[in-house]
Amino acid sequence: MERLQKAIAGFGYCSRRKAEKLILEKKVFVNGEMITELGYKVSANDIITVEGKTLTQEKKEYILLYKPRGVVTTTSDEHNRKTVLDLLETETRVYPVGRLDYDTSGLLILTNDGQLANLLMHPKSQVDKVYITKVKGLVNKKEILQLRNGVTIDGFKTSKCGARIISYDKKTDTSIVELTIHEGKNHQVKKMMASVGHEVIKLKRERLSFLTLKGLKSGEYRYLNIKEVKKLYNEVQKNKD
Ligand code: URA
């Protein structure tokens, strides 16, 4: 048995919060009966109808996309720019888990599994997100230590993270830095690097938990296999408990 709003989100219909709103708006029925109580429990045999639509279990899809730069991480864009969905050939209503900026490339998961998406985005899930960034100037040891210990961005102190210098190019006066963070604030890497005085020129997400871009070219994607999905669930549950 699980709470009605969680079950609705689990079907991928909407977020848990939106489901709570719909329940309070009297738009949710279980076995034909209107339910307005947020704590109402349902089982797998119950028939749930939301806004007149009966929820059926869509086959779950898990896509690992190598997002190119110049593509937005939304399902539609008001300026008609290319979205990550334009790169996929799937009939399933998958959506991106978290976001990468328009000018950021790298690993992005898209799924219709609301439960896994919520777990991955939960602040406590703590999965590694590894970014490689090219920044202006020479990054020094002191700045790396500051990044590791947490810096203040938008009045929020970032938590401890991994940071290391990969290389410095004297000719262009640019450094390559690897950051391993566990949070996902808006423009977090760019703001972290700016807080220690370095503007990001290029940014790429190379790894999410144990998942990498291996075998994919920019713009390509692949489906996760069941083993990888299970492992991902284990990773997020392990950190959340
Ligand atoms: N941090 C950023 O600044 N941008 C991204 O796209 C991802 C992380």
Side-chain angles (χ1 to χ4, degrees), residues 62 210-211 222-231:
Y62 305 87
F210 60 91
L211 296 168
R222 71 171 179 90
Y223 288 88
L224 299 187
N225 62 40
I226 187 73
K227 249 175 134 177
E228 290 172 317
V229 173
K230 280 195 179 147
K231 196 166 169 195

Side-chain angles (χ1 to χ4, degrees), residues 100-101 104 131 187-190 203:
L100 291 177
D101 294 336
T104 299
Y131 292 90
H187 314 304
Q188 181 157 341
V189 172
K190 289 177 186 165
L203 182 59

Side-chain angles (χ1 to χ4, degrees), residues 95-213:
Y95 53 91
V97 180
R99 53 168 294 204
L100 291 177
D101 294 336
Y102 182 72
D103 57 357
T104 299
S105 64
L107 195 157
L108 184 72
I109 300 291
L110 297 106
T111 183
N112 57 346
D113 181 345
Q115 194 186 357
L116 183 65
N118 284 333
L119 285 167
L120 275 171
M121 286 192 283
H122 196 283
K124 281 193 185 153
S125 83
Q126 295 273 316
V127 294
D128 283 355
K129 293 172 190 139
V130 182
Y131 292 90
I132 303 288
T133 179
K134 183 179 186 179
V135 299
K136 281 194 181 159
L138 172 66
V139 177
N140 63 36
K141 266 256 168 74
K142 189 169 154 238
E143 290 157 354
I144 287 291
L145 288 179
Q146 283 175 328
L147 290 166
R148 283 185 191 158
N149 287 325
V151 289
T152 302
I153 54 170
D154 302 334
F156 153 89
K157 183 155 187 260
T158 58
S159 61
K160 283 198 183 328
C161 72
R164 66 186 183 101
I165 302 164
I166 295 183
S167 61
Y168 172 67
D169 183 348
K170 214 170 166 185
K171 243 183 22 222
T172 55
D173 188 30
T174 55
S175 305
I176 306 284
V177 174
E178 181 191 82
L179 276 188
T180 303
I181 62 172
H182 305 103
E183 299 147 313
K185 302 274 176 209
N186 242 355
H187 314 304
Q188 181 157 341
V189 172
K190 289 177 186 165
K191 285 179 179 168
M192 285 174 76
M193 293 312 302
S195 80
V196 291
H198 297 280
E199 188 190 330
V200 166
I201 302 169
K202 250 184 171 179
L203 182 59
K204 178 180 177 188
R205 179 152 73 192
E206 289 244 312
R207 180 162 71 79
L208 178 84
S209 189
F210 60 91
L211 296 168
T212 68
L213 292 165

